[in-house]
């Protein structure tokens, strides 16, 4: 089973990390257990997370000097493999080593690294990442928790002024965390310096809350039961001066503040930018869950039969129905595209975070934008696709024993955590509008709308990987669209970039026009739908270009040929989904638009025999799929077929 | 709060049933409890379902002679009100009184009614509706369970031949059911007479399985934890002759079969047709849940603020963002349309099921088609809208205490139970293709594709309620589309029916063409996407026409005016969603298509101040919403605003 060439193409640059995970985590030991209570799930995940292999998974993201792998890309891929296995396990690990450990690495300095990193890697020190507040999730620059320096005692006073400022949805808080990286407004000498982070003990050795710390429990959630999300409030908690994670801002004993970055906003978004890996991991994890769901639905659709064809005895396999193909195969093609785009994103993360010398600000902003856009698109794609897969299993898809309910419930939160998708897409659009010049990793929404409206520039497309190949393909397209073959890759690329460019140009025009005569809030708000479309069109192009680059890298000729067809389906089904726009802007004639629908159906027919092969290439161990129907349905179908003769031999009355 | 004229319009013909439910079920006693275990939930729902008021809710659907209300319409509305409260409670009650009790009423005769109906109404006899098998959910005509008559003993032998033939997903089976209506292939005298139903005891008085009956548990599910779904298998279970529910088929002591309906297929679908209320209730319940979710999201969006506008101190309410309005207000407008369409469907059900004399076959088929189409569209709308509402609450939407996880998980199964949505839409299309002549309530999918292809006729639109009004509006539209105001109702209606008619004509053409030269299976399968579009376009038109009729019935002028705007939004956002089709078929010019998007945004702006009023009119008691954030967020926002001055008075560094 499987197509090794295809699997190799998907496994990509960090294939060794994927292989290690499949081997180290083999069997059922780490697999999700359906129907657990909240307490059972928390207990199991808390235990399992400490049993995870350190190398290469957990250690990959940490500095080599502290026993880490110095491999940020590998660390993101290792997290994605955990997500392939169980999402509670991934999130719990992600909180401990990605968010908590990652913040200590990125925002702390040698004294923090020396004191804590080894215990963090070994999980002897479990921690939280306490940024979000009940009142401020998206607008983190406006957090209300304060941390005020007192030169008399040389300590900070950490304080939660009201309920909306309590830290909320904090993983590891309700049960296991001993310390937390707490984000708060730094105040010293009577002045605010914006949000900074401190390492703060929240529980003592017996697991009791530290004095002044109140710990709440977020209780039952839609999913991710194994993650103990909770609430933290601080009632004038004393924090020693050296517990400020001070890489980007220092407070001297006398209270003097200093920072390598003068501007508060710039500093804050630079700090956030160092934590971009979390967003990369969430997008990749969503796609991993999507691959699990598609594998289940496609394999089930191969064996499950319903309704006999006219004049035939045997019923028809679900995958033979066009409507089933329209749902599963198009989602599968998109998932392939997203997997290549994610691989490219992880590579970009790796290059930026392992580069010598000062940070290349432009590349950093571009990375943040890509991470934001691909996180939003992958998590929404996961939500839609897992739902479709659950429906594709009928009633069986509703039973916990068939895994899909868990996949659906666990991934749901991804659309709003590590950044609300709508807010993230605005960030992407803003980056495009300003050429990343001043967009930072900013989630500041509307605050500087006027500024953005004034700064928008003529658009220049940033090319992704395989720049020259893509330009060649685009340039090779003959002049008149109507004469170009529907499967011409250069034409696909041109259609995608044309949409992006035209939408962006239109947004620029409308913003400029609005800036002259509207209230600042309305300038942006009146075009919010248009701006979000720009971001989505941008991500579509990034995905197609990554798909093209991925095919180019594929060595195996058969795999390459199949991937090209899958890319055709991705490209044409995306154009079909936006045919309204293309027709409105006369990029498609009505006859050609109809021809695209016919061609999509034709591609579905061609790809039908390869459906199983395409999910096999995801190489997900059977045990990880944890789906009872996949184990039982083939035997049931066989027995039914054997028995059918008896019933069907009985003559009917009419 | 609230707009009584609007509420009156929505409460409609069975307003007294809705009012009774709001009063009788007031308070928190019946409200869903988040975070329960499976056992806790089953125990609570099992207890509560016996506490439900009999009159008018439960009794409404039963014959007056047995203490019922003889009010099928009222019974569907009462079920919808339970769904507004808690979906486990609705489904548990729906299994007992709708499916189980309803089958005994519809398929049984006086001897069954006399013996069981009073105990069924009082819940002294709890029962199951055992139709679906593991191997046959959609294709119920092909069930594999057999029930073979033996004239020697004058009993039937009920038997499950293999695992795929076990009854599955059966509500009330795992815990509470004492009897079951079991569907099986009737065999007598060596011949099959198709699927019939028997009343079969499955547990004894001590709750132990009866001899030969094996009862399994479907275990944890995605949602509806309070419903004890299970599996039933029969190992040559002896069933007395008189336990055959014999309204549509009798077996004489000597084994002679007789029926008022000769054709097996016709008889089977006539039997199914009497059970149409279940499908009506599921659609209505999905919309009830959608209304709960929208009420929560809209009220939260009124108080919750995020990101300050430029130069302003106070942050912006979520409902002020265009993207938020695009999500919630368009869903709200659609929900209004669906509520009017559901009201019309319930009326049609009521008229058909209370009519004197023989069944009007055409009206029965039309009712089945409407029920199927509106069930599919309402349940998908629920799935999408509840997801959007959960995202609109950010992280809070993921916590069980805020209700949305429960609404989402519980309604999910509606897309595939009481008929898989895709299969149901095929049924709708088939009815349109054949003018209901031979479509029956048939879910036979593809079996008679050739037949259908040969029988398709020129299309004649069936008008819904307010026929003459709608025709007047359509006729009043001036000739050229481009000159008609975008808010002209006649133009909306014409655009909707034009899409339906043209899609249907095209499907007919393609089927006829295919019939000449394709394999029977391919004739239909190659146009399956097109056929499903026909069905969706048909439902869209039904909804718009019901919306128009609902506005016409509305007495209060202010309510009427507001509803007209909501209908504009529904109509134009639907045309916008299908602009690709309209442009492809030159029903819209590119400039007019763009003008529609602008008009939708304009309507959103006009309706923004009415968002709260529009959900208030759903008149859902606060306790039923069971959302912690709605109780706590206003106070949090107030405290935060009061405290803000302090923090914001501290000067910033730069």
């Amino acid at each position: 089973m499987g197509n090794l060439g295809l699997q190799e193409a998907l496994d990509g640059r960090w294939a060794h990390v994927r292989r290690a995970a499949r081997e180290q985590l083999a069997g059922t030991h780490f697999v999700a257990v359906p129907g657990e209570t909240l307490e059972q799930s928390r207990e199991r995940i808390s235990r399992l997370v400490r049993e995870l292999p350190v190398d290469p998974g957990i250690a990959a993201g940490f500095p080599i000097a502290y026993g880490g792998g110095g491999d940020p890309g590998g660390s993101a891929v290792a997290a994605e493999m955990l997500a392939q296995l169980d999402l509670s396990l991934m999130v719990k690990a992600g909180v401990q080593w990605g968010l908590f450990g990652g913040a200590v690495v990125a925002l702390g300095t040698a004294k923090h690294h020396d004191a804590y990193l080894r215990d963090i890697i070994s999980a002897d020190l479990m921690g939280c990442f306490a940024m979000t507040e009940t009142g401020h999730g998206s607008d983190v620059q406006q957090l209300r928790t304060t941390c005020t320096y007192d030169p008399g005692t040389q300590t900070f006073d950490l304080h939660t002024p009201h309920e909306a400022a309590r830290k909320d949805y904090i993983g590891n808080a309700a049960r296991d965390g001993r310390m937390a990286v707490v984000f708060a407004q730094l105040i010293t000498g009577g002045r605010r310096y914006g949000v900074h982070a401190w390492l703060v003990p929240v529980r003592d050795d017996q697991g009791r809350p530290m004095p002044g710390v109140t710990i709440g429990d977020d209780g039952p959630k839609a999913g991710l039961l194994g993650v103990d999300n909770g609430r933290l409030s601080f009632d004038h908690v004393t924090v020693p001066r050296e517990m400020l994670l001070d890489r980007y801002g220092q407070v001297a004993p006398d209270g003097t503040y200093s920072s390598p970055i003068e501007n508060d906003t710039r500093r804050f978004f630079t700090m956030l930018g160092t934590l971009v890996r979390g967003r990369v991991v969430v997008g990749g994890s969503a796609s991993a869950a999507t691959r699990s769901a598609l594998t289940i639905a496609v394999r089930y659709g191969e064996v499950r039969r319903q309704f006999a064809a006219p004049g035939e005895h045997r019923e028809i396999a679900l995958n033979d129905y066009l409507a089933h193909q329209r749902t599963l195969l198009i989602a599968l093609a998109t998932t392939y595209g997203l997997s290549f785009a994610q691989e490219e994103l992880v590579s970009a993360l790796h290059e930026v975070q392992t580069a010598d010398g000062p940070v290349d600000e432009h590349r950093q902003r571009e990375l943040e934008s890509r991470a934001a856009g691909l996180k939003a698109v992958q998590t929404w794609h996961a939500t839609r696709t897992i739902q479709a897969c659950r429906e594709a299993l009928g009633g069986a898809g509703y039973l916990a024993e068939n895994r899909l309910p868990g996949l659906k419930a666990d991934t749901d939160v991804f659309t709003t955590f590590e950044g609300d998708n709508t807010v993230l897409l605005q960030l992407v659009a803003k980056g495009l509008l300003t050429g990343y010049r001043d967009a930072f990793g900013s989630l500041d929404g509307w605050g500087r709308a006027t500024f953005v409206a004034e700064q928008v520039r003529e658009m220049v497309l940033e090319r992704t990987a395989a720049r020259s190949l893509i330009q060649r393909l685009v340039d090779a397209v003959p002049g008149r669209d109507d004469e170009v073959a529907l499967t011409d890759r250069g034409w696909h690329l041109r259609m995608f970039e044309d949409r992006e460019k035209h939408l962006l140009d239109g947004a620029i025009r409308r913003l400029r026009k609005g800036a002259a005569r509207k209230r600042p809030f309305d300038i942006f708000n009146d075009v919010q739908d248009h701006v979000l479309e720009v971001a989505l069109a941008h991500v579509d192009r990034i995905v197609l270009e990554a798909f093209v680059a991925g095919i180019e890298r594929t060595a195996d000729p058969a795999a390459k040929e199949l991937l090209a067809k899958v890319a055709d389906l991705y490209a044409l089904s995306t154009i079909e989904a936006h045919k309204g726009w293309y027709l409105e802007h006369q990029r498609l004639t009505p006859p050609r638009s109809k021809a695209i629908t016919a061609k999509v159906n034709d591609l579905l027919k061609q790809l039908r025999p390869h459906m199983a092969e395409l999910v096999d290439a995801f190489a997900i161990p059977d045990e990880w799929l944890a789906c009872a129907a996949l184990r039982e349905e083939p035997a049931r179908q066989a027995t039914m077929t054997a028995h059918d003769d008896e019933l069907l031999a009985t003559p009917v009355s009419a």
Side-chain angles (χ1 to χ4, degrees), chain A residues 410-466:
Chain A
D410 289 346
T411 52
D412 177 358
V413 79
F414 291 175
T415 57
T416 54
F417 93 178
E418 278 283 346
D420 176 272
N421 281 355
T422 303
V423 178
L424 291 179
L425 289 177
Q426 272 167 216
L427 166 65
V428 172
K430 216 181 265 185
L432 295 172
L433 287 165
T434 61
Y436 306 114
R437 263 181 306 167
D438 284 280
F440 305 114
S442 164
L443 298 183
D444 69 347
W446 312 94
R448 298 177 308 127
T450 323
F451 170 78
V452 169
E454 284 160 5
Q455 296 295 309
V456 290
R457 39 133 219 174
E458 292 316 304
M459 183 201 149
V460 183
L461 283 186
E462 302 283 342
R463 289 250 177 260
T464 49

Side-chain angles (χ1 to χ4, degrees), chain A residues 295-440:
Chain A
T295 303
I296 291 170
V298 167
R299 288 191 185 161
Y300 186 81
E302 287 287 301
V303 294
R304 174 68 171 195
R305 292 165 175 274
Q306 197 80 284
F307 295 116
E312 285 176 38
H313 178 163
R314 187 116 194 251
E315 292 162 319
I316 294 155
L318 297 186
N319 286 348
D320 284 331
Y321 289 104
L322 175 61
H324 220 69
Q325 294 159 17
R326 275 235 160 226
T327 305
L328 297 184
L329 257 171
I330 291 176
L332 198 48
T334 306
T335 306
Y336 264 74
L338 289 170
S339 297
F340 287 116
Q342 175 72 13
E343 162 91 359
E344 204 167 87
L345 174 65
V346 170
S347 281
L349 168 80
H350 191 79
E351 303 314 328
V352 166
Q353 297 199 339
T354 56
D356 292 328
V359 178
D360 178 335
E361 284 241 0
H362 183 86
R363 287 184 67 199
Q364 171 71 28
R365 298 294 159 250
E366 199 179 70
L367 168 65
E368 287 168 20
S369 166
R370 294 259 163 99
L374 279 170
K375 184 272 187 186
V377 168
Q378 287 184 97
T379 57
W380 271 334
H381 176 66
T383 298
R384 278 191 299 266
T385 303
I386 295 168
Q387 177 67 27
C389 290
R390 118 84 195 114
E391 292 178 26
L393 259 74
Y398 199 62
L399 302 188
E401 66 178 29
N402 291 328
R403 185 78 196 285
L404 291 164
L407 288 173
K408 183 179 150 170
D410 289 346
T411 52
D412 177 358
V413 79
F414 291 175
T415 57
T416 54
F417 93 178
E418 278 283 346
D420 176 272
N421 281 355
T422 303
V423 178
L424 291 179
L425 289 177
Q426 272 167 216
L427 166 65
V428 172
K430 216 181 265 185
L432 295 172
L433 287 165
T434 61
Y436 306 114
R437 263 181 306 167
D438 284 280
F440 305 114

Side-chain angles (χ1 to χ4, degrees), chain A residues 29 174-175 179 210 229 240 373 385 434 502 515 629:
Chain A
H29 183 65
R175 187 183 190 277
M179 288 189 106
M210 296 293 284
N229 293 83
T385 303
T434 61
H502 192 87

Side-chain angles (χ1 to χ4, degrees), chain A residues 25 208 232 259 266 314 370 449 506-507 514 517 527 585:
Chain A
L25 307 169
R208 292 171 303 214
L232 298 171
S259 167
R266 193 176 198 89
R314 187 116 194 251
R370 294 259 163 99
R517 55 185 179 83
V527 296
H585 295 82

